[in-house]
DNA sequence: GATGAATGAGTGTTCATTCAT
DNA sequence: TATGAATGAACACTCATTCAT
């Protein structure tokens, strides 16, 4: 009996990220993904129900990782709210620095997927956002951040700003060193949040 | 939508915005657009070369309008840099307040389109961004804004933040009144830019 | 504007009968049907929703014709029950004599189709059977036929016998002249029904 | 169905009959058959060359049994031709009474299979038909049956009638008790054959 | 210009069959 | 024998685009 190596499942996912990044979800062909993963077309369907399931899995994994990292930051009692916001930004930058194709997929496809069936979207995503919101609220409560701001709106604003920058960077990494982007984001964010 | 006698071209474009907003570009069918515009499928091709040309036209018009408005703001010598940034934000909010379907299309499809062939993307878009950048630079030069910031990065950050907020609003207008979003954005932006 | 010629719809149906007869429904390919009808594959879907709709249409037309003919026979008051049974047999033989491919499709595919969703099967089929049953009952009531027989069972028996013979004939027309088959069927049927 | 230890071959065949009966041959999946037989998909191919071989085996066994029974009837010198015809009908009814799924498979799939390669179809089938024909001929020779009838045609007619009734019964056993069907068939058959 | 019937290239998915273990 | 992961050929159906009228 042949055993599932488990490698194929991962290989398919990695290939999918690359193919989705290059062509966009809709123009990505299953046979391209299979080809790049060195498996047969049909094998894709051994591990994933359909094309969308692959995309969904990509985001599941992504947000699981991001949430766990942010959670560990948040549970560190030695950090101020400011330092936690700093860490949040670092977490996002680091994961995409590691895999720029993933950044492209994230920016280009998450909206469409989440819009289709928000309730089916990975729970870690909402947990991540909630935690981010919580951190901002903590900053307000501890008089570090300006009470005038609406946490949900600011959360979205920062998130969107980061998303856009990461997209540009993923698309043209040479244009700006990531650390410069990072510094600027931290600067504007903090100075905007501090009283 | 009622057929606009003698102006099928506009009717098609308006219908396309609605259909693209509802289904996303890739899942939008030409016959749906034609139907909503009360014209025959074939008529779409009388006015537009292909499906992508419709999308391109939507962005052309959008950025033309935005650029012209920002230009007029910028040419007003009575405004400070801060007031110009305020006006920039207002311009963006107002146009999407007027047409939320357009906001959705903008947020969901611009990336994909611009990525495909950046050089073919409407020139007004770049002009708009350059002008925004210019305004920020002016603020730095006049000692209003912090010189530490990189104008291009900050420009993208704010732009992305706005984009994301508009998307959320377009998708669920009831969640937040646009004016609250607007206030918050202005607040964080200004406090982040000012020394 | 191109006008639907109406010929294509018929051409596709005729081709489908031939292709279904030769390969069986499941092994028949849409492109084969289109090819034989001298139309493009896509044109098949201009006229029919899907593959099954073609098969369904074939039976709709078949049973509509058969029912109308039997109805006209039944309404002829000069005929005895025996003569009506004779006519019923003739009707079936004649229609398949005219189109032997249709006979094959009928024999091979009707069961599967009717089994899938009996309630969606053409109404004319049930009307035809009911009328056949009615004629037999009339024969019993007028003391021509044996009262011991159960009309529904006998109806099915004769129907199945005819079906099988027609199938054999359609498959190997040379084996038996249709008129010999017809005579024998009439003979056994009548002698079985008469007291 | 419970796994029959040491007799996977039989378990697969029994499962196949049920699955073919429920879904029809073409829509039956090998993995469904394997699942029902409590064996792995691959095991099916240990015992059968391919999907069609399973169907072929079902008919082989069926006709072997039927032929052997009819042969034994025919060799009984105490029976008249009429009694032999009676017995023939009983044989058919009894085997399907015992296994109604088999009846469905027989009715739905035999045509397609036999049509594809008549020469490869089980020999017992032809032997059975020939013996049936022989019995009718005997009846004619012994002046019991009407000499006008063509034995081959009548054989097919009766066979088809039975087939159709069995199909209806297998599909809706509650509609008619099998013994009523049996009586009616015997009645019409005999009265049609006797002078 | 306007129409909508006609086109046919293109692809996600299925599933019978194979084969390494 | 037995397994079930892996395969890849096959196909129904879609829909952007064309073009005869």
């Amino acid at each position: 009996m042949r055993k599932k190596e488990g490698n194929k499942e991962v290989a398919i996912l990695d290939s999918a990220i690359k193919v989705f990044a290059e062509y966009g979800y809709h123009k990505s062909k299953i046979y391209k993904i299979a080809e790049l993963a060195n498996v047969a077309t049909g094998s894709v369907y051994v591990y994933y129900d359909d094309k969308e399931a692959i995309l969904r899995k990509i985001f599941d994994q992504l947000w699981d990782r991001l949430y766990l990292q942010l959670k560990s930051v948040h549970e560190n009692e030695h950090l101020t709210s400011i330092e936690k916001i700093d860490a949040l930004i670092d977490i996002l930058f680091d994961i995409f620095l590691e895999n720029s194709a993933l950044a492209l997929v994230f920016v280009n496809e998450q909206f469409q997927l989440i819009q289709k069936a928000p309730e089916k979207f990975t729970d870690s995503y909402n947990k991540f956002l909630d935690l981010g919101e919580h951190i901002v609220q903590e900053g307000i409560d501890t008089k570090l951040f300006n009470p005038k701001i609406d946490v949900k709106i600011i959360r979205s604003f920062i998130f969107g700003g980061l998303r856009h920058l990461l997209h540009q960077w993923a698309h043209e990494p040479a244009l700006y060193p990531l650390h410069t982007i990072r510094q600027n984001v931290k600067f504007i964010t903090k100075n905007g949040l501090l009283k």
Side-chain angles (χ1 to χ4, degrees), chain A:
Chain A
M1 160 181 101
R2 269 191 209 167
K3 291 242 154 55
K4 272 194 191 182
E5 306 162 27
N7 297 31
K8 288 193 202 298
E9 187 173 358
V10 173
I12 290 165
L13 208 69
D14 288 345
S15 303
I17 291 171
K18 285 172 195 148
V19 175
F20 288 163
E22 183 167 359
Y23 303 100
Y25 176 75
H26 282 101
K27 293 209 172 168
S28 294
K29 315 301 173 200
I30 294 290
Y31 73 79
K32 270 272 176 197
I33 294 171
E35 194 173 83
L36 192 61
N38 264 319
V39 301
T41 317
S43 301
V44 172
Y45 291 86
V46 172
Y47 297 98
Y48 302 93
D49 281 346
D50 51 25
K51 196 180 172 186
E52 194 182 301
I54 307 175
L55 189 58
R56 212 170 278 285
K57 180 80 174 181
I58 291 170
F59 286 116
D60 276 359
Q61 284 198 351
L62 171 63
W63 288 110
D64 280 355
R65 278 183 66 188
L66 290 170
Y67 171 65
L68 284 178
Q69 289 184 37
L70 185 58
K71 189 161 170 255
S72 126
V73 162
H74 179 243
E75 283 161 356
N76 183 339
E77 300 187 352
H78 300 302
L79 299 176
T80 63
S81 298
I82 274 293
E83 286 164 337
K84 286 181 180 175
I85 292 287
D86 257 34
L88 186 159
I89 292 167
D90 284 337
I91 287 168
L92 281 167
F93 274 91
D94 289 346
I95 211 159
F96 293 123
L97 179 57
E98 192 190 310
N99 188 345
S100 73
L102 185 57
L104 274 173
V105 176
F106 161 57
V107 172
N108 285 325
E109 316 299 345
Q110 171 156 337
F111 268 140
Q112 311 253 2
L113 189 61
I114 210 171
Q115 205 166 330
K116 185 186 256 178
E119 73 288 355
K120 283 206 286 178
F121 200 75
T122 178
D123 209 42
S124 297
Y125 173 63
N126 291 312
K127 283 172 162 176
F128 182 92
L129 289 183
D130 288 347
L131 201 46
E133 193 181 316
H134 188 72
I135 291 171
V136 175
Q137 187 62 52
E138 247 179 24
I140 294 175
D141 295 344
T142 56
K143 320 284 185 193
L144 263 173
F145 294 165
N146 199 310
K148 277 185 176 172
I149 60 179
D150 180 304
V151 285
K152 276 197 173 13
I153 293 176
I154 260 41
R155 173 193 85 173
S156 290
F157 182 76
I158 295 174
F159 185 73
L162 279 171
R163 207 182 81 114
H164 193 220
L165 281 168
L166 285 166
H167 175 261
Q168 291 203 318
W169 167 80
H171 203 242
E172 275 188 277
L175 211 60
Y176 278 93
L178 206 54
H179 71 92
T180 307
I181 300 177
R182 201 187 287 230
Q183 278 174 353
N184 271 273
V185 169
K186 286 181 178 177
F187 183 84
I188 187 180
T189 302
K190 280 185 285 186
N191 288 304
L193 291 171
L194 288 174
K195 283 206 232 191

